[in-house]
Amino acid sequence: MVTIFQESNLTGPASTRPQQELSRLLTAAVISAEFRKMLLSNPDMAISSGYGGESFHIPGEEKKRLSAIQATNLADFASQAQRVESTWHGSRYSAAD
């Protein structure tokens, strides 16, 4: 199966919102089995290492919460990450930013 992936899904300015960075993180895990394995076994290392030469720009508290996720598969990680992400809404990251 051939998957067409636009690089812009992984790259982005350092000023992106944490929600956008979470999307980039999960996209990397979907397209790379190796990155997915690292994300599931050591989320902090995966987030800190980045993917494809690109860094994930996730602020400290958000990164800490994502790094604490313990999941056995990507669907479980994404579900837990979505719950974590829901706490970001209404914080310093608003739609007006």
Side-chain angles (χ1 to χ4, degrees):
M1 179 169 107
V2 176
T3 302
I4 297 173
F5 180 77
Q6 293 187 3
E7 186 177 343
S8 63
N9 289 346
L10 284 179
T11 60
S15 63
T16 56
R17 291 179 179 82
Q19 293 87 350
Q20 292 168 312
E21 292 300 291
L22 177 58
S23 178
R24 293 176 64 233
L25 180 75
L26 294 174
T27 299
V30 166
I31 64 171
S32 171
E34 184 176 326
F35 183 80
R36 180 172 51 251
K37 182 178 178 180
M38 183 181 358
L39 182 64
L40 295 174
S41 65
N42 190 338
D44 185 55
M45 181 185 294
I47 295 167
S48 296
S49 297
Y51 177 75
E54 295 291 327
S55 298
F56 298 109
H57 304 283
I58 300 174
E61 186 60 32
E62 289 85 354
K63 180 181 175 190
K64 182 178 175 181
R65 290 179 183 177
L66 289 175
S67 295
I69 291 175
Q70 295 180 354
T72 57
N73 58 57
L74 188 56
D76 186 27
F77 185 94
S79 177
Q80 291 183 56
Q82 188 174 28
R83 286 192 295 272
V84 168
E85 179 202 27
S86 71
T87 66
W88 302 343
H89 298 289
S91 67
R92 64 182 181 263
Y93 305 100
S94 67
D97 285 348

